Amino acid sequence: ADPDPLQDFCVADVSAPPLLNGFPCKPASNVTSGDFFFDGLMKEGNTANTFGVNVTAADVGSFPGLNTLGISMNRVDFARGGINPPHSHPRATETGVVMKGKLLVGFVTSGNVFYSKVLTAGQMFVIPRGLVHFQKNVGEGKALALTAFNSHLPGVEVLPLTLFASTPPIPNDVLTQAFQVEEDVVNSIRSKFAS
Ligand code: GLV
Ligand code: MN
């Protein structure tokens, strides 16, 4: 979903402030082979957290060679029973392949239709741009997926955190009215995500 590039590459100068679309290019004379290769997805992420998931991003922030090329990836590690909670990517369609384990993958359309399937190693999925989706580890052990995006910076809004852990917080009466629950329910959810 990113604009088409106007040159072969534009390795990001990540120390410079971002421009309207992406980072400025570092001078071509400083570009080396190392700019186009990335080891950051080799290691298993630490899943000892509330959701039992760890997303390691290979986007323009961590892999500056992706700048302006309209593409990026994630490594998603799941503990047993872990969930990558409902979230959306405002700037990209996502595709992915399960590398290990067994994942329930689902998304909901703008018409509130839910599509889902349980996938094992080698099977793929696609999440249309911007739609809310999740993956849940429904296997007996750990799970691993690799995901890919048509943006160098897909962005993510993780709904539980977006709604219940924003800074500053969304007023309680907005959430009680939106979800048709009492305030103690909202406070209880908030307390799980307090840092
Ligand atoms: C999975 O949904 C991911 O965003 O990597
Ligand atoms: Mn996603």
Side-chain angles (χ1 to χ4, degrees), residues 55 74 76 84 87 89 94 133 135 147 149:
V55 177
N74 284 341
V76 191
N84 188 12
H87 66 276
H89 306 285
E94 169 177 336
H133 60 285
Q135 297 98 10
T147 55
F149 303 87

Coordinates of all heavy atoms in Angstrom, one line a residue, residues 55 74 76 84 87 89 94 133 135 147 149, ligand 1:
V55 N 6.2 -10.4 19.1 CA 6.3 -10.0 17.7 C 7.6 -9.3 17.5 O 7.9 -8.2 18.1 CB 5.1 -9.0 17.3 CG1 5.3 -8.6 15.8 CG2 3.8 -9.7 17.5
N74 N 7.3 -9.8 9.9 CA 7.4 -10.0 11.4 C 7.7 -11.5 11.6 O 7.3 -12.3 10.8 CB 6.1 -9.7 12.1 CG 5.8 -8.3 12.3 OD1 6.7 -7.4 12.2 ND2 4.5 -8.0 12.5
V76 N 6.6 -14.0 14.6 CA 5.6 -14.0 15.7 C 5.8 -15.4 16.5 O 5.5 -16.4 15.9 CB 4.2 -13.8 15.2 CG1 3.3 -13.6 16.4 CG2 4.1 -12.7 14.2
N84 N -1.9 -13.7 19.8 CA -1.6 -12.4 19.3 C -3.0 -11.7 19.2 O -3.8 -12.1 18.3 CB -0.9 -12.5 17.9 CG -0.4 -11.2 17.3 OD1 -0.3 -10.2 18.1 ND2 -0.1 -11.2 16.1
H87 N -6.0 -7.1 16.5 CA -5.3 -5.9 16.1 C -5.5 -5.6 14.7 O -6.0 -6.5 13.9 CB -3.8 -6.1 16.5 CG -3.1 -7.1 15.6 ND1 -3.1 -8.5 16.0 CD2 -2.4 -7.0 14.5 CE1 -2.4 -9.2 15.1 NE2 -2.0 -8.3 14.1
H89 N -3.7 -3.4 11.1 CA -2.5 -2.7 10.5 C -3.1 -1.6 9.6 O -3.7 -2.0 8.5 CB -1.6 -3.6 9.7 CG -1.1 -4.8 10.6 ND1 -0.2 -4.7 11.5 CD2 -1.5 -6.1 10.6 CE1 0.0 -5.8 12.1 NE2 -0.8 -6.7 11.6
E94 N -1.7 -8.1 5.1 CA -0.8 -9.0 5.8 C -1.0 -10.4 5.2 O -2.1 -10.8 4.9 CB -1.0 -9.1 7.3 CG -0.3 -10.2 8.0 CD -0.6 -10.2 9.5 OE1 -0.9 -9.1 10.0 OE2 -0.4 -11.2 10.1
H133 N -7.8 -8.7 13.2 CA -7.4 -10.1 13.1 C -6.7 -10.5 14.3 O -6.2 -9.7 15.1 CB -6.6 -10.4 11.8 CG -5.3 -9.6 11.8 ND1 -5.3 -8.3 11.5 CD2 -4.0 -10.0 12.0 CE1 -4.0 -7.9 11.5 NE2 -3.2 -8.9 11.8
Q135 N -4.2 -14.3 16.0 CA -3.8 -15.7 15.9 C -3.7 -16.2 17.3 O -3.2 -15.5 18.2 CB -2.4 -15.8 15.2 CG -2.3 -15.3 13.8 CD -1.7 -13.9 13.7 OE1 -1.3 -13.3 14.7 NE2 -1.8 -13.3 12.5
T147 N 5.2 -13.4 9.1 CA 4.2 -12.6 8.4 C 4.9 -11.6 7.5 O 6.0 -11.2 7.8 CB 3.2 -11.9 9.4 OG1 4.0 -11.2 10.3 CG2 2.4 -13.0 10.2
F149 N 4.1 -7.9 4.9 CA 3.2 -6.8 4.7 C 3.6 -6.0 3.5 O 4.8 -5.8 3.2 CB 3.3 -5.8 5.9 CG 3.1 -6.5 7.2 CD1 4.1 -7.2 7.9 CD2 1.8 -6.5 7.8 CE1 3.8 -7.8 9.1 CE2 1.5 -7.1 9.0 CZ 2.5 -7.8 9.7
Ligands
GLV1 C1 0.4 -10.9 12.8 O1 -0.8 -10.7 12.8 C2 1.3 -9.9 12.7 O2 0.9 -8.7 12.6 O3 2.5 -10.2 12.5

